[in-house]
Amino acid sequence: MAASNSRLKVRRQNNVNIVEFIDRNILDEANIATIGEEIAALVDAEPAPRLLISFANVDHLSSAALGTLITVNNRVRGKQGQLRLANIDPQIYEVFVITRLNKLFSIHENTDEALKSFT
Amino acid sequence: MPINGDNQDRAAQQGDSGRASFPNDTALSEAIQNALVDAMERHGYSKASRFAVRLALAEAIANAFHHGHEHLPPSLPITVEYAVDPAKVVIHVEDQGPGFDPATIPDPTLDENIEKTTGRGLMLIRAYMTRVSYNAKGNRVEMVYDKP
């Protein structure tokens, strides 16, 4: 995770790993693959992972990134963990609505609200 | 970045246009996305419009390499052309693959497909662009965005 080419910033609060993205545009498949591997490593490191992904700095998100989020969601559920998404720009939230993925993910207004939702 | 003015005649004097052929390379893909979005900004398109068109172009480029060139060398280029005028944006993305039939792509929003990790690119293109059409072979997409 400490590799210099990391695409993520990770901090820990209330036993939750809070992930933020370094890139403003998450459109490129190579970057998305790296992001997926980094988050998978976080999920695999714990028996019941609690993961909050913040999109605070993100301007663009592609369908490939959505696919990676679904993979992460499945991986977390497979370990009886919990995944929350937060700080999603309205334009990006519309992408979730168009694809109906707002029904699949637990999406919260901001980091505090998302942290409160963990059980 | 080989964006040239070959198609400036199509955009007339009031427009902006560009054309680039490039292999599967992040920097080259982003360069033409940025050039198109910059042209839209010069022509008064809103942030929401620029978001929509950048997403559609990124999805079309990803489809061209990921599906069109799936069994072809990554060095093989695709071609992107765009023309921006005050009323509309016209984009063509062409790959060198065998083409596909867009009617065969399943609806990714159906319950049985909602957890699939792929298959949303074309849907997003259609959602954000005004008109989307393919050539008969299915290896060249035309995307038109009318300024709201």
Side-chain angles (χ1 to χ4, degrees), chain A residues 39-102:
Chain A
I39 297 179
L42 280 176
V43 173
D44 290 348
E46 295 187 52
R50 288 149 59 96
L51 186 66
L52 194 170
I53 301 179
S54 167
F55 293 81
N57 302 313
V58 177
D59 292 332
H60 287 275
L61 191 76
S62 71
S63 65
L66 296 176
T68 293
L69 288 175
I70 293 168
T71 301
V72 169
N73 191 44
N74 291 338
R75 210 176 184 106
V76 169
R77 282 196 316 204
K79 299 188 77 173
Q80 280 74 51
Q82 298 176 56
L83 173 66
R84 306 287 187 260
L85 310 185
N87 302 312
I88 299 179
D89 173 271
Q91 285 185 321
I92 293 180
Y93 185 71
E94 191 182 357
V95 175
F96 282 84
V97 172
I98 290 168
T99 54
R100 284 190 67 224
L101 290 175
N102 58 320

Side-chain angles (χ1 to χ4, degrees), chain B residues 57-115:
Chain B
L57 176 56
E59 295 293 345
I61 291 171
N63 280 347
F65 285 119
H66 199 73
H67 300 296
H69 287 191
E70 184 179 6
H71 303 295
L72 297 170
S75 58
L76 201 66
I78 66 163
T79 300
V80 175
E81 299 173 74
Y82 67 82
V84 181
D85 67 33
K88 67 182 182 306
V89 180
V90 181
I91 306 169
H92 293 103
V93 178
E94 181 169 355
D95 63 60
Q96 300 186 55
F100 80 113
D101 178 359
T104 62
I105 305 299
D107 181 351
T109 65
L110 296 177
D111 285 345
E112 62 263 35
N113 297 329
I114 197 77
E115 292 197 43

